[in-house]
Amino acid sequence: MNATMTMPNANSNGGLPRAASAVPPSNEQILRVEDLTVSFDGFKAVDGLSLAVERNELRVIIGPNGAGKTTLLDMVCGKTKPSSGRVLFNDADLGRMNEHEIVRAGVGRKFQTPSVYEDLTVLENFEISLPRMHGLLQSLTFRRTAALRERIDAMAADVFLLDQLDRRAGQLSHGQKQWLEIGMLLMQEPELLLLDEPVAGMSPREREQTGDLLRRIASGKSLVVIEHDMDFVKRIAHRVTVLHQGRLLSEGTAAEVQADPRVIDVYLGH
């Protein structure tokens, strides 16, 4: 791991601001993790972790490999059940729900590798992501209306794909596939998005556009983002959580975390 934090340069072509706001837009908690622990064959991947994410907050989680970052998201979305502790979303205990119930409750998850239907067009990918399409009967009775097409066009424009609607998803670049999957999640109107390394493999320009997109999304939703690109973290994060060996090591603004000697020792210094 070779992680360094540097101040991004100003961008004269409509790029991102030099740093994200240090104050989240709300103090209402949408997600609470309480004393969460999960063990695999005696190994504690997450160990007594507690944290809270506020409504309309863009929280970034960083840490060395094996720190428990992805496992934490797995527990929030129901893919992995905790050994102890609770995950509360809008005060509902997600541990009592299965994965599709958590999605219906308003939690969307994007994994590191894009998951799109490569043989379908971008337009068809947007259509199939609609909640009403989740079932055989809904699929058989689906009709493409003018209102739906207008909504898809607006979403495609938001994720920089308006001119790609008729292309097959498999023909898109890696970055465009990432955008498509984010747009497909947004079509489901979640309140909380979990994104695992959303700019991995992107060009510098695509990273700038994605940072702008995530900041816009966070004006009406909450995001939890796992990321290793520290320059990108400084650009987008309201707050940063640092995990190490499954525990919370440090938390604060990007500048505060960057200056924490513990974070320098176990992560940034390597």
Side-chain angles (χ1 to χ4, degrees), residues 126-246:
F126 280 126
E127 288 176 340
I128 206 168
S129 68
L130 293 168
R132 72 186 72 173
M133 293 288 281
H134 294 174
L136 177 60
L137 179 61
Q138 292 90 333
S139 300
L140 292 174
T141 59
F142 172 76
R143 294 293 182 271
R144 184 182 295 169
T145 64
L148 175 59
R149 181 56 192 263
E150 183 178 350
R151 181 184 170 200
I152 289 175
D153 285 352
M155 180 59 66
D158 282 346
V159 296
F160 320 113
L161 294 175
L162 184 58
D163 60 347
Q164 305 292 327
L165 284 172
D166 294 328
R167 292 187 69 190
R168 293 194 181 277
Q171 298 175 324
L172 300 177
S173 70
H174 176 79
Q176 289 173 323
K177 289 177 183 177
Q178 298 274 47
W179 294 336
L180 175 56
E181 188 174 13
I182 292 173
M184 291 169 67
L185 284 176
L186 292 174
M187 292 293 288
Q188 300 176 34
E189 300 183 344
E191 293 183 67
L192 173 68
L193 270 73
L194 312 174
L195 307 177
D196 198 341
E197 298 191 43
V199 297
M202 286 189 176
S203 69
R205 177 56 180 157
E206 287 174 333
R207 288 169 183 259
E208 287 188 356
Q209 291 174 287
T210 302
D212 181 51
L213 171 63
L214 298 186
R215 287 166 59 88
R216 283 190 281 110
I217 293 171
S219 66
K221 302 180 185 297
S222 303
L223 285 80
V224 176
V225 179
I226 293 176
E227 190 48 65
H228 287 293
D229 183 332
M230 303 309 299
D231 179 64
F232 187 73
V233 170
K234 283 187 69 86
R235 293 183 177 202
I236 68 169
H238 294 139
R239 292 181 66 81
V240 179
T241 296
V242 187
L243 300 186
H244 178 54
Q245 297 180 344

Side-chain angles (χ1 to χ4, degrees), residues 10 37 50 57-58 72 80 91 99 121 124 126-127 151 229 246 248 251 264:
T37 297
S50 296
E57 179 183 354
L58 203 167
L72 170 61
T80 298
D91 294 325
E99 290 184 65
T121 66
E124 290 166 338
F126 280 126
E127 288 176 340
R151 181 184 170 200
D229 183 332
L248 194 152
E251 195 167 84
I264 295 171

